[in-house]
């Protein structure tokens, strides 16, 4: 694949991740304009994340069968249309529906990115492309929050918060033009039919977990949330047994258990989960705390994360060279640096609240971003390193589904914990306790990294 093709698919990878985080700093403006209320605001975030996570593996399978460029184009076009629907939404419920549709469109587009990279690159070129994908993924998450703050404050042509969705449209048009010219068509040489029972059971499993965790606190934990969480282990068990039976009968399940037997994929996924939970929880909590606790406007709240974006990107670009010299210990060092950054933030927030400014936050945020940049691209590269080319779509779908589910889980769990503690302890102490929980997740990721093979492919 030519550099222009790689740039195009990376643009397709950036847009869905930017949109997961871009609304964090826009939520107060959305609430003021549409009178949404806490429960619907959480659905604006969670509805996108749940639809996105539920359909990602199916999107990967469809790309393997029908052609990855074709699905990439279809997904990007649908993403542009649903972004327009979000930007023009007249009511809160309309916005929630448009966000769910936007998440579904993203699920068609994003799995094709990893699958196309896997199918069209080899050796050092693949390693560089995967490192760039990891850099794009992490930078997009941070940039989304920064861009959201700038757009809301700029109030372009009186659009206010709507600009955070409308800004996607020119990038979608650019991506469609470039994809037709520069992205090669690939598909699996052994395309498989859609695993309908597996798809339905995966959807039930993820919805029964993510939806009540997203909505439970704001809705006051009604009976349906408790019943839904109780159903999750049964749905997840039924999904696993169904997939294992399909594998044994020689069919092609949605998530082949044989794929999960790949040591690199399994170990990488186990580390992606706590990393992503902590990352998304941190981004959501900081967006709320900076605006409501430290009285920063959306622009300053976004600018507070610029040091994180810069150090993350620099570390991501240095990753391949560092892996060649130090192997998997790069991930361990990244965990230590991320923990150090969170500790610096804890000290500064505890001592300086409520007068903490951008300069005081910068060292902790920068060091944390440096550590994250040494971890995420390496983990993504490791997860997919041994996946066969004919299963690239499925492997990419499994990886991104795991990451996206964990991102949604981070907002639902750490976000809910922070908001619940704020009511009883005040915002400063709630923030400190939530950051301590994130520190525990960083410690878990760091300890798990010690079990990785020293030399990485």
């Amino acid at each position: 694949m030519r550099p222009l093709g790689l740039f195009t698919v990376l643009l397709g990878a950036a847009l869905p991740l930017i949109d997961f985080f871009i609304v964090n700093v826009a939520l107060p403006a959305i609430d003021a304009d549409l009178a949404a209320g806490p429960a619907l605001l959480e659905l604006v975030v969670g509805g996108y994340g749940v639809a996105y996570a539920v359909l990602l593996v199916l999107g990967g399978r469809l790309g393997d069968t029908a052609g990855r460029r074709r699905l990439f184009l279809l997904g990007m076009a649908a993403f542009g249309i649903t972004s327009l629907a979000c930007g023009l939404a007249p009511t809160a419920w309309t916005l929630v529906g448009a966000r769910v549709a936007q998440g579904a469109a993203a699920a068609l587009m994003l799995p094709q990115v990893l699958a196309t990279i896997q199918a069209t690159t080899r050796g050092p070129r693949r390693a560089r492309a995967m490192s760039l994908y990891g850099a794009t993924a992490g930078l997009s998450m941070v940039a989304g929050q920064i861009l959201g703050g700038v757009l809301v404050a700029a109030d372009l042509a009186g659009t206010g918060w709507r600009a955070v969705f409308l800004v996607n449209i020119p990038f979608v048009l650019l991506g469609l033009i470039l994809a037709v010219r520069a992205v090669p068509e690939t598909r699996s040489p052994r395309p498989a039919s859609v695993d309908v029972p597996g798809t339905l059971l995966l959807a039930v499993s993820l919805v029964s977990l993510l939806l009540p965790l997203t909505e439970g606190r704001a809705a006051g934990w009604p009976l349906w949330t408790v019943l839904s969480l109780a159903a999750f282990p049964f749905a997840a068990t039924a999904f696993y047994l169904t997939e294992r039976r399909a594998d044994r009968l020689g069919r092609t399940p949605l998530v082949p258990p044989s794929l999960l037997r790949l040591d690199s994929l399994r170990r990488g996924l186990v580390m992606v989960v706590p990393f992503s939970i902590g990352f998304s929880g941190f981004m959501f909590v900081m967006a709320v705390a900076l605006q409501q606790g430290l009285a920063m406007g959306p622009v300053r709240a976004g600018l507070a994360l610029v040091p994180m974006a810069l150090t993350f990107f620099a570390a991501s670009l240095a990753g391949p060279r560092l892996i060649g010299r130090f192997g998997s210990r790069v991930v361990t060092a990244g965990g230590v640096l991320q923990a150090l950054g969170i500790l610096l933030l804890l000290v500064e927030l505890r001592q300086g609240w409520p007068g903490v400014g951008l300069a005081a936050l910068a060292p902790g945020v920068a060091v944390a971003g440096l550590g994250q940049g040494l971890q995420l691209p390496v983990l993504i590269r490791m997860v997919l390193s041994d996946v066969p080319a004919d299963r690239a779509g499925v492997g990419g779908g499994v990886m991104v589904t795991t990451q996206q589910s964990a991102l949604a889980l981070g907002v639902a769990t750490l976000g809910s914990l922070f908001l619940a503690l704020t009511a009883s302890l005040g915002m400063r102490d709630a923030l400190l306790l939530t950051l301590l929980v994130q520190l525990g997740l960083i410690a878990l990721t760091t300890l798990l990294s010690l079990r990785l093979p020293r030399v990485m492919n």
Side-chain angles (χ1 to χ4, degrees):
M1 183 164 52
R2 292 176 295 167
L4 184 60
L6 180 61
F7 169 82
T8 305
V9 294
L10 291 180
L11 175 63
L15 289 174
L17 289 168
I18 286 173
D19 257 60
F20 185 86
F21 289 92
I22 201 169
V23 298
N24 282 349
V25 291
L27 291 176
I30 293 172
D31 190 22
D33 186 27
L34 301 182
L40 283 183
L41 284 177
E42 293 207 15
L43 272 181
V44 169
V45 178
Y48 175 86
V50 171
Y52 189 11
V54 163
L55 296 172
L56 274 164
V57 178
L58 178 61
R61 171 63 58 82
L62 292 174
D64 285 351
T65 303
R68 291 158 187 150
R69 186 179 74 163
R70 180 181 299 176
L71 265 292
F72 181 81
L73 288 166
L74 179 63
M76 181 164 278
F79 191 82
I81 293 169
T82 53
S83 295
L84 179 63
C86 289
L88 300 178
T91 67
W93 276 111
T94 308
L95 178 58
V96 169
R99 282 285 283 172
V100 171
Q102 191 186 33
L108 284 181
M109 177 170 57
L110 188 59
Q112 318 317 325
V113 175
L114 286 169
T116 300
I117 291 173
Q118 288 283 96
T120 59
T121 58
R122 296 287 183 275
R125 288 183 62 214
R126 178 182 291 180
R128 283 194 298 272
M130 293 305 297
S131 294
L132 285 171
Y133 174 85
T136 301
L139 191 61
S140 298
M141 298 181 213
V142 182
Q145 212 143 302
I146 298 170
L147 181 61
V150 172
L151 288 173
V152 171
D155 192 22
L156 300 173
T159 54
W161 60 267
R162 298 177 187 275
V164 305
F165 301 113
L166 298 176
V167 72
N168 291 330
I169 295 171
F171 291 103
V172 165
L173 293 174
L174 174 65
L176 290 171
I177 294 169
L178 294 179
V180 170
R181 296 183 57 189
V183 176
E185 180 65 281
T186 63
R187 67 185 72 206
S188 172
R190 296 177 296 169
S193 59
V194 174
D195 174 15
V196 175
T199 301
L200 292 175
L201 285 170
L202 177 63
V204 171
S205 300
L206 291 175
V207 169
S208 65
L209 175 66
L210 295 176
L211 189 59
L213 287 177
T214 300
E215 278 294 286
R217 184 202 60 83
W221 296 104
L223 180 61
W224 73 264
T225 60
V226 178
L227 294 176
S228 182
L229 287 172
F232 167 69
F234 297 100
T237 301
F239 171 70
Y240 173 75
L241 294 176
T242 299
E243 298 298 272
R244 188 176 66 176
R245 183 173 181 273
D247 217 9
R248 286 177 175 174
L249 293 175
R251 302 170 188 161
T252 307
L254 189 70
V255 181
S258 56
L259 196 65
L260 297 177
R261 285 197 288 271
L262 292 174
D263 191 56
S264 57
L265 184 139
R266 189 175 61 253
R267 289 189 180 191
L269 290 181
V270 167
M271 294 181 63
V272 164
V273 170
F275 177 91
S276 299
I277 289 174
F279 189 101
S280 64
F282 172 83
M283 298 295 285
F284 178 81
V285 166
M286 288 300 290
V288 176
L290 292 177
Q291 290 190 85
Q292 297 182 9
L294 297 179
M296 293 185 182
V299 172
R300 293 188 70 215
L303 290 176
L305 297 175
V306 168
M308 175 180 283
L310 295 176
T311 54
F312 188 106
F313 189 63
S316 299
L317 294 181
R321 185 172 66 254
L322 294 173
I323 293 166
R325 184 171 181 181
F326 301 107
S328 64
R329 292 300 171 259
V330 171
V331 181
T332 308
V336 172
L337 285 170
Q338 190 184 359
L340 177 60
I342 298 300
L343 284 171
L344 290 173
L345 281 175
L346 280 167
V347 171
E348 184 57 45
L349 289 167
R350 185 175 183 276
Q351 294 178 348
W353 189 279
V356 181
L358 297 183
L361 293 171
V365 169
V367 174
L370 184 65
Q372 291 161 348
L374 293 175
Q375 290 177 293
L376 183 60
V378 180
L379 292 177
I380 292 173
R381 172 178 165 182
M382 183 179 70
V383 167
L384 298 172
S385 59
D386 296 326
V387 175
D390 63 332
R391 287 185 163 184
V394 177
V398 170
M399 198 285 295
V400 180
T401 297
T402 303
Q403 182 190 30
Q404 184 60 39
S405 299
L407 290 173
L409 197 58
V411 173
T413 52
L414 293 185
S416 294
L417 173 67
F418 168 69
L419 294 173
L421 290 173
T422 297
S424 56
L425 300 178
M427 191 162 288
R428 188 200 73 161
D429 290 345
L431 177 59
L432 296 179
L433 285 173
T434 306
L435 290 178
L436 284 173
V437 173
Q438 188 200 355
L439 201 57
L441 293 169
I442 296 169
L444 175 61
T445 308
T446 306
L447 290 173
L448 288 170
S449 72
L450 297 174
R451 300 184 59 197
L452 296 177
R454 185 66 181 266
V455 178
M456 299 189 66
N457 296 327

